[in-house]
């Protein structure tokens, strides 16, 4: 199929599996499709490797936005881990194609791949600091990531080293860890994606995203807090919650179970955007009577996480990142000045 025929009459990208783009890139997987863009995994037939291609509708987004995004991606000033490595671009009359280096390993691989020991505390601190710094850099450009999760954090140096340490029982053990915990955000620019607030894994979404709005600077904070918890505890903070008719109600009960009561500002706005979520007058969530039984059982098994992080400094960071109310979350630049990040061990 020729490249010029892969957009609909409305301008939305509609690439398909096995299609060749630019006589070079063969589509092997459609990672995500949206009205204004597609994210594709492709095989580069010339370089004989795998790349990621972001296809953006020129009709729906406009050349000025896309070309500005490309200039930003090419800028040396952005070489600070805040986006994936940009390789090339090409375009047709209706679509613009942005080519990126494929992330080779992600934080999810490190945490759950089974090949490495749990992250030592110093690595958790270093990785968290890099994530926050990269997001601050994005936010300075008024760019939101909105999909922070372990899969979207690339580990740029996968070399390992073996340490010999005493465990909590006083036994001398070996552990295999990263030699250098260096990361970069998996991010392909914000052209078209700024309209797709729910593109990430729902387990890492902030309450306001689930309820229907986005904070300009602090929605990403909540997702960072979820990733921080996972590095500390070795498991996701939230269990999976099926998308669909009862998703918002089930997630609302999950947030309440794990993080405490809803502040008035969140309750009022969430009620306005999701009728029947809270009981009138009482401010309590409505029952889960109509929620599927398997989801109810998951929610019933959750308990407030306060006190589960023994390290006081780490607990302070987690609490300030994951406040239910956007207004109560500390700015990321302030988080980096918490005592937890000032340690040298």
């Amino acid at each position: 199929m020729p490249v010029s025929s892969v957009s609909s009459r409305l301008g939305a990208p509609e690439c398909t599996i096995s299609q060749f783009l630019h006589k070079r890139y063969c589509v092997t997987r459609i990672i995500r499709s949206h009205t204004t863009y597609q994210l594709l995994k492709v095989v580069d037939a010339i370089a004989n490797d795998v790349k990621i291609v972001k296809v953006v509708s020129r009709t729906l987004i406009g050349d000025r936005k896309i070309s500005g995004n490309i200039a930003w991606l090419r800028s040396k000033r952005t070489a600070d881990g805040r986006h994936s490595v940009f390789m090339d671009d090409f375009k047709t009359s209706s679509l613009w194609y942005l080519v990126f280096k494929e992330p080779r390993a992600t934080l999810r691989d490190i945490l759950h791949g089974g090949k490495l020991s749990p992250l030592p505390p110093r690595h958790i601190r270093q990785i968290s600091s890099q994530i926050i710094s990269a997001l601050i850099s994005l936010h300075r450009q008024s760019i939101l990531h909105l999909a922070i999760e372990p899969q979207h954090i690339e580990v740029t140096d996968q070399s390992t080293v073996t340490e010999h340490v005493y465990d909590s029982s006083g036994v001398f053990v070996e552990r295999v860890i990263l030699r250098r915990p260096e990361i970069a955000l998996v991010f392909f620019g914000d052209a078209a994606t700024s309209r797709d607030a729910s593109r990430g894994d729902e387990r890492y979404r902030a309450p306001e995203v689930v309820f229907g709005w986005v904070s300009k600077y602090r929605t990403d904070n909540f997702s960072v807090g979820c990733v921080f918890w996972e590095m500390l505890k070795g498991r996701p903070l939230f269990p999976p919650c099926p998308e669909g008719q009862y998703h918002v109600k089930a997630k609302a009960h999950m947030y309440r179970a794990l993080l405490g009561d809803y502040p008035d500002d969140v309750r009022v706005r969430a009620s306005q955007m999701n009728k029947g979520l809270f009981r009138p007058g009482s401010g309590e969530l409505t029952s889960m009577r109509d929620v599927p039984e398997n989801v109810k059982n998951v929610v019933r098994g959750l308990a407030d996480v306060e006190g589960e992080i023994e390290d006081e400094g780490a607990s302070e960071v987690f609490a300030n990142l994951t406040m239910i109310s956007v207004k109560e979350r500390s700015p990321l630049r302030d988080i980096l000045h918490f005592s937890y990040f000032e340690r040298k061990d």
Side-chain angles (χ1 to χ4, degrees):
M1 180 183 294
V3 172
S4 59
S5 64
V6 297
S7 62
S8 71
R9 276 181 278 180
L10 294 178
E14 294 181 351
C15 297
T16 57
I17 300 295
S18 299
Q19 181 180 331
F20 262 85
L21 309 175
H22 205 48
K23 299 181 180 180
R24 175 172 180 172
Y25 304 103
C26 180
V27 180
T28 60
R29 180 187 167 203
I30 299 173
I31 299 172
R32 185 165 180 81
S33 283
H34 187 262
T35 305
T36 56
Y37 77 97
Q38 279 186 310
L39 202 59
L40 312 172
K41 187 173 184 177
V42 303
V43 172
D44 184 338
I46 295 178
N48 195 30
D49 62 8
V50 177
K51 291 186 172 67
I52 303 296
V53 173
K54 181 178 180 181
V55 189
V56 182
S57 169
R58 298 176 67 183
T59 306
L60 299 175
I61 299 303
D63 284 3
R64 183 175 180 180
K65 172 64 177 177
I66 302 170
S67 60
N69 214 221
I70 290 173
W72 175 77
L73 289 165
R74 291 188 186 279
S75 172
K76 292 182 179 179
R77 290 176 296 174
T78 66
D80 53 10
R82 61 180 168 178
H83 63 70
S84 300
V85 178
F86 181 67
M87 306 290 290
D88 193 14
D89 73 284
F90 55 95
K91 58 190 174 183
T92 66
S93 60
S94 59
L95 300 172
W96 208 319
Y97 300 78
L98 284 63
V99 183
F100 295 85
K101 184 178 179 180
E102 183 202 26
R104 291 299 183 184
T106 68
L107 185 58
R108 186 177 69 175
D109 301 324
I110 301 303
L111 294 176
H112 307 298
K115 296 182 179 179
L116 299 182
S117 304
L119 289 171
R122 70 180 186 277
H123 284 189
I124 296 175
R125 187 163 56 252
Q126 291 167 351
I127 291 171
S128 300
S129 176
Q130 290 175 73
I131 295 170
I132 291 173
S133 296
L135 281 172
I136 289 173
S137 184
L138 285 181
H139 294 173
R140 284 177 181 154
Q141 302 295 317
S142 297
I143 297 173
L144 305 182
H145 190 288
L146 297 180
I148 292 295
E149 58 189 77
Q151 187 179 355
H152 292 161
I153 298 166
E154 181 180 8
V155 177
T156 57
D157 184 347
Q158 298 143 54
S159 60
T160 61
V161 63
T162 300
E163 287 190 339
H164 298 83
V165 296
Y166 285 103
D167 66 10
S168 58
S169 62
V171 178
F172 200 57
V173 297
E174 288 187 353
R175 66 181 182 188
V176 181
I177 61 173
L178 293 171
R179 183 181 298 275
R180 294 185 301 172
E182 297 183 355
I183 63 94
L185 301 183
V186 176
F187 185 58
F188 307 107
D190 70 332
T193 56
S194 59
R195 303 184 187 185
D196 186 15
S198 60
R199 64 184 179 274
D201 188 321
E202 56 84 18
R203 291 175 295 175
Y204 303 89
R205 286 181 199 155
E208 62 272 17
V209 175
V210 172
F211 296 146
W213 73 92
V214 172
S215 167
K216 188 172 183 181
Y217 295 114
R218 301 189 189 182
T219 290
D220 281 330
N221 297 31
F222 189 91
S223 303
V224 175
C226 294
V227 172
F228 184 61
W229 167 277
E230 195 163 337
M231 287 193 288
L232 290 168
K233 308 298 286 186
R235 67 181 191 276
L237 174 61
F238 290 92
C241 183
E243 303 274 6
Q245 182 179 358
Y246 305 106
H247 179 74
V248 173
K249 178 176 283 190
K251 287 291 287 190
H253 279 273
M254 287 184 180
Y255 292 130
R256 165 66 183 82
L258 290 171
L259 301 174
D261 294 328
Y262 282 91
D264 288 344
D265 64 309
V266 178
R267 178 179 52 79
V268 169
R269 190 166 181 183
S271 296
Q272 293 171 345
M273 303 186 75
N274 301 271
K275 300 299 182 184
L277 188 60
F278 289 88
R279 293 173 182 161
S282 71
E284 293 294 320
L285 288 167
T286 53
S287 74
M288 292 191 293
R289 184 174 56 233
D290 53 351
V291 173
E293 197 63 33
N294 63 325
V295 179
K296 287 182 189 176
N297 291 336
V298 170
V299 175
R300 289 169 183 153
L302 300 177
D304 196 316
V305 297
E306 185 176 1
E308 281 206 34
I309 299 176
E310 297 180 0
D311 184 298
E312 291 185 4
S315 180
E316 179 188 29
V317 171
F318 171 76
N320 278 274
L321 287 169
T322 56
M323 292 290 184
I324 291 179
S325 172
V326 171
K327 296 178 181 178
E328 295 177 4
R329 293 176 208 153
S330 296
L332 290 177
R333 61 181 179 277
D334 291 349
I335 295 284
L336 283 182
H337 292 292
F338 283 17
S339 61
Y340 174 80
F341 289 107
E342 295 176 354
R343 298 177 188 171
K344 303 300 182 183
D345 58 315

